[in-house]
Amino acid sequence: MHNKALEKDILLSVEKPARYIGNEVNMVKKNLSDIDIRFCMCFPDVYEIGMSHLGIQILYDMFNKRNDTYCERVYSPWFDMDKLMRKNNIPLFALETGDPVKVFDFLGITLQYEMCYTNILQILDLAQIPLYSSDRNEAHPIVIGGGPCAYNPEPLADFFDIFYIGEGETVYNELLDTYISLKKSGNYSRIEFLRQASHIQGLYVPMFYEVTYNDDNTISSFNPRYYDVPARVVKQVATDMEEYYPKKPLVPYIKVTQDRAVLEIMRGCIRGCRFCQAGMIYRPLRERDIDFLKNAATEMLSSTGHEEISLSSLSSSDCSTLKDIVYFLIDEFMQKKVNISLPSLRIDAFSLDVMSKVQDVRKSSLTFAPEAGSQRMRDVINKGLTKEVILDGAMEAFKGGWNRVKLYFMLGLPTETYDDIEEIAKLANDIATEYYTIPKEERNGKVNIVVSTSLFVPKPFTPFQWAAMNEADVFTDKKGFLMTKVREQLNQKSIRYNSHDSELSVLEGVFARGDRRLSGVLYSAYKKGCMYDSWSEYFKPELWDEAFLENDIDPSFYTSRERSINEILPWDFIDIGVTKEFLIKEYENAKAAKVTPNCREKCSGCGAAKFLEGGCRF
């Protein structure tokens, strides 16, 4: 950092100075006199979480490959640094040069989860950029949001200039070229640039759209203000999966959440779980070429010195080249003591064989995600797992030496009854019982089963986007009921139960399905001191209650009512490829507990094939 006084006085008095100094391995350095665009990429959470995010690594690498662009980074300062920056009037600065974020041309913010929204206001505030886009002028950066939460950008619409809908590898270059061209023409103005940006597919400029409401608070109309602004915004899909991938990712000096090289083996999912937003918005499935994966893995491990590589995807078991890449990594890197991490696997014979090679089975636990306890509920959500498959997988694992199992479930799913919840406890008990059928001398000690429940949030662009969400007190009651049922099981001493915070999940639901009127609530909550809401120890529900009251908004309007399929939803103007007709049909199938085959078994005509030349390749 350039400012030595800052380094000495401030950095030495914060908990982890390495969060703010940059200079990590593989950090890009450029001469500012050689570039036309300064782009600051932001992850609105603490450094350790932001540095583990693959999307930013991809865009950082992609932007910096351009000779005319310098991409730098910033993360949310932790509470101690935040306080010192405000006290000393230090504007938020980028890690690469230490320059204030407010002097950049663009500030790009990743919208990864709803509970980071107050941190976005912290970033803008500390950067000394007006929070509301309507208050910004030519001197301020263009603020862009992208990522999964951009698929319902409306609660944040007043704070952003542009939302990028889709995958970053597609039209960012067109946007940057447009900016340079306009700057060089001598006719640059903020409003003219935003107008031209709105003509680029996948870019949504909220100020160019007008929303009206009915007396019952539902949306009456959502229309462009100008004739040349598109009524629908089409998501952008990367079709060349080998064009951009960071072979020299940044390596932090301090331990971060995922301290490893990440190899994305494919994008999209064939499964069609009805609660899963990622499974819908990242369709269609696209696999990376096996030779590309082998080269990328080799280059990343040599350029970073990482001792672990993680194979990333939504459902790794569905990757047709999984065996090839796994056995390649084992052959090439096991003797070099490189660990191979395999998340998102179904527990089958191949997976267990591989995991026994790459893990110390006495230390690691296996993860199953049945999502629901009863077969009826698994059919409702289209999970496609039977009890037999779960028990067989568990038994295979126990015979392989594992004795620690994590089970992930959801509470509050549509049509759920208390009998369905009790089945969660019974399934955990059945798995423990299965373990104790192994002769004592062949067991690896006592079995340890952790049951975790997240609380169901109906997300945009899923078949459940119309469904009602449970209120916080109902969630709390259901968690208490499940805990009681776990304690009634024969193998209760082998089972532990933990769950998500009820009020936090309901607030997530409000912002997941909210509209523009929530910007006032966000602003009020931030001004009251709400930040890092996803960290349960810093979540202040009473301040959020005050913010809703002050803005005369009832949060339950967004969560606890089932929506009509004819209602205009805040995100209806976005085209993700998957059609509304398909989602409605899937919602009806859910209510009938009818299973839809996965994409490889039978095409269900979801609509996402339009993004690929020749359609989906199954």
Side-chain angles (χ1 to χ4, degrees):
M1 198 184 303
H2 302 326
N3 190 328
K4 292 293 177 192
L6 172 69
E7 201 171 310
K8 186 178 175 188
D9 299 337
I10 305 292
L11 292 182
L12 293 178
S13 55
V14 296
E15 185 190 342
K16 292 184 181 176
R19 289 169 169 160
Y20 313 105
I21 58 173
N23 283 310
E24 302 98 331
V25 173
N26 294 330
M27 188 188 91
V28 174
K29 294 179 183 177
K30 290 193 176 186
N31 187 337
L32 295 180
S33 60
D34 296 338
I35 59 165
D36 296 313
I37 292 180
R38 299 192 70 180
F39 197 115
C40 191
M41 189 63 73
C42 167
F43 193 98
D45 206 325
V46 73
Y47 176 89
E48 292 92 310
I49 291 176
M51 275 293 282
S52 303
H53 184 246
L54 176 63
I56 284 188
Q57 295 264 19
I58 290 174
L59 292 178
Y60 182 81
D61 183 68
M62 181 180 112
F63 288 166
N64 281 320
K65 279 193 164 66
R66 289 179 63 117
N67 293 329
D68 56 13
T69 303
Y70 188 14
C71 182
E72 303 185 40
R73 293 162 298 129
V74 69
Y75 305 95
S76 278
W78 192 242
F79 292 99
D80 52 359
M81 186 65 161
D82 177 289
K83 191 176 171 185
L84 288 165
M85 290 174 77
R86 291 177 198 273
K87 182 182 170 189
N88 294 281
N89 195 30
I90 298 164
L92 187 67
F93 50 87
L95 297 189
E96 275 69 7
T97 56
D99 288 348
V101 170
K102 64 182 176 184
V103 306
F104 282 65
D105 299 288
F106 292 91
L107 170 60
I109 303 177
T110 295
L111 311 174
Q112 201 62 26
Y113 30 83
E114 291 84 2
M115 299 323 298
C116 70
Y117 285 1
T118 49
N119 280 47
I120 292 166
L121 300 192
Q122 175 213 21
I123 292 283
L124 294 170
D125 202 7
L126 287 177
Q128 299 171 6
I129 297 168
L131 301 189
Y132 285 93
S133 65
S134 55
D135 295 332
R136 294 179 201 137
N137 59 34
E138 318 303 304
H140 300 118
I142 300 290
V143 181
I144 306 182
C149 291
Y151 286 90
N152 177 19
E154 289 305 278
L156 294 167
D158 291 346
F159 307 116
F160 280 81
D161 300 311
I162 301 174
F163 288 97
Y164 187 113
I165 313 294
E167 296 168 359
E169 297 99 328
T170 50
V171 296
Y172 255 126
N173 283 324
E174 191 180 341
L175 179 70
L176 300 183
D177 290 344
T178 300
Y179 183 79
I180 289 172
S181 168
L182 200 54
K183 279 277 184 178
K184 288 184 174 172
S185 74
N187 297 321
Y188 178 84
S189 74
R190 186 182 192 86
I191 202 78
E192 177 54 28
F193 171 68
L194 292 175
R195 193 77 172 255
Q196 290 193 23
S198 75
H199 300 160
I200 298 173
Q201 274 220 341
L203 299 188
Y204 166 52
V205 181
M207 69 167 65
F208 294 155
Y209 295 77
E210 189 167 26
V211 193
T212 62
Y213 300 92
N214 297 310
D215 292 342
D216 64 357
N217 285 324
T218 56
I219 294 173
S220 168
S221 68
F222 185 102
N223 295 308
R225 292 175 185 271
Y226 307 103
Y227 74 93
D228 60 334
V229 173
R232 283 180 72 67
V233 178
V234 182
K235 85 164 178 188
Q236 296 306 291
V237 172
T239 51
D240 182 352
M241 296 306 290
E242 283 75 56
E243 188 176 6
Y244 296 111
Y245 203 79
K247 308 290 173 58
K248 293 184 175 181
L250 292 146
V251 184
Y253 290 127
I254 56 173
K255 186 161 180 57
V256 297
T257 318
Q258 295 183 356
D259 224 344
R260 57 184 79 112
V262 179
L263 185 63
E264 185 190 39
I265 56 176
M266 65 180 188
R267 202 171 286 177
C269 184
I270 63 170
R271 291 284 146 189
C273 297
R274 293 176 181 134
F275 58 83
C276 180
Q277 186 186 44
M280 295 296 161
I281 62 176
Y282 293 119
R283 287 186 175 206
L285 182 84
R286 288 144 292 150
E287 294 190 2
R288 293 188 194 272
D289 175 75
I290 183 64
D291 292 328
F292 174 85
L293 291 173
K294 289 176 180 178
N295 292 334
T298 304
E299 284 187 50
M300 280 195 295
L301 288 169
S302 67
S303 72
T304 60
H306 275 307
E307 295 173 345
E308 183 171 352
I309 185 165
S310 173
L311 303 188
S312 162
S313 79
L314 292 174
S315 176
S316 300
S317 298
D318 294 320
C319 179
S320 60
T321 59
L322 182 67
K323 288 188 181 182
D324 295 341
I325 187 64
V326 166
Y327 288 137
F328 167 79
L329 292 171
I330 288 173
D331 292 344
E332 288 290 311
F333 299 108
M334 284 299 281
Q335 62 272 38
K336 295 174 185 167
K337 299 285 188 283
V338 173
N339 289 326
I340 302 164
S341 165
L342 294 159
S344 312
L345 279 185
R346 285 197 303 284
I347 306 302
D348 54 21
F350 162 69
S351 304
L352 292 166
D353 174 51
V354 166
M355 282 189 278
S356 65
K357 289 184 173 76
V358 301
Q359 288 182 359
D360 179 345
V361 296
R362 291 185 178 273
K363 288 181 185 169
S364 62
S365 59
L366 280 182
T367 300
F368 291 85
E371 309 294 0
S374 68
Q375 191 60 51
R376 185 191 74 82
M377 276 310 305
R378 286 194 293 276
D379 291 347
V380 166
I381 62 177
N382 209 40
K383 186 62 189 175
L385 268 182
T386 63
K387 185 176 179 179
E388 290 67 39
V389 168
I390 295 165
L391 292 178
D392 288 351
M395 195 58 174
E396 287 287 326
F398 296 148
K399 286 177 180 170
W402 277 274
N403 67 336
R404 294 166 63 200
V405 176
K406 289 180 186 166
L407 298 171
Y408 289 114
F409 297 94
M410 281 186 179
L411 285 179
L413 287 159
T415 79
E416 176 186 78
T417 66
Y418 278 79
D419 287 345
D420 295 316
I421 297 171
E422 186 173 355
E423 289 297 319
I424 294 174
K426 288 180 177 175
L427 182 59
N429 185 67
D430 289 344
I431 291 171
T433 301
E434 199 78 2
Y435 179 79
Y436 289 118
T437 63
I438 300 172
K440 194 169 183 181
E441 62 276 9
E442 293 172 27
R443 286 183 221 150
N444 183 10
K446 196 179 98 167
V447 73
N448 180 334
I449 295 171
V450 178
V451 172
S452 285
T453 57
S454 61
L455 306 177
F456 167 69
V457 176
K459 291 289 176 93
F461 297 110
T462 67
F464 290 149
Q465 66 179 359
W466 295 279
M469 182 178 176
N470 288 174
E471 294 280 18
D473 57 347
V474 177
F475 275 136
T476 302
D477 187 64
K478 287 181 173 181
K479 289 190 292 185
F481 174 79
L482 179 54
M483 176 61 88
T484 302
K485 291 301 169 187
V486 165
R487 287 175 179 157
E488 289 174 3
Q489 301 304 312
L490 195 64
N491 296 302
Q492 54 157 303
K493 288 184 179 172
S494 298
I495 307 169
R496 265 191 319 120
Y497 172 51
N498 55 47
S499 70
H500 283 211
D501 182 285
S502 303
E503 289 171 306
L504 193 62
S505 295
V506 171
L507 189 61
E508 181 189 332
V510 171
F511 285 105
R513 302 205 293 175
D515 54 41
R516 288 191 180 193
R517 291 169 296 189
L518 289 174
S519 62
V521 178
L522 261 176
Y523 181 81
S524 299
Y526 169 67
K527 286 297 181 188
K528 289 173 184 296
C530 292
M531 272 191 333
Y532 286 101
D533 299 294
S534 60
W535 299 61
S536 52
E537 63 269 42
Y538 299 108
F539 176 53
K540 303 182 179 86
E542 66 287 351
L543 297 185
W544 280 100
D545 290 344
E546 288 174 21
F548 280 108
L549 271 173
E550 284 172 17
N551 288 272
D552 196 25
I553 283 181
D554 175 7
S556 68
F557 170 77
Y558 298 105
T559 52
S560 58
R561 64 186 180 92
E562 180 166 10
R563 302 187 186 196
S564 154
I565 57 170
N566 300 315
E567 181 178 330
I568 297 174
L569 303 173
W571 52 89
D572 271 349
F573 68 95
I574 296 172
D575 175 1
I576 66 155
V578 175
T579 64
K580 200 166 196 177
E581 293 71 30
F582 171 77
L583 295 177
I584 291 168
K585 189 172 144 204
E586 279 297 279
Y587 192 29
E588 288 164 356
N589 285 344
K591 289 174 177 176
K594 185 179 170 189
V595 173
T596 301
N598 73 56
C599 300
R600 283 208 173 105
E601 290 173 345
K602 184 187 176 189
C603 175
S604 50
C606 74
K610 74 176 185 181
F611 291 118
L612 296 178
E613 208 175 308
C616 292
R617 291 150 200 170
F618 296 132

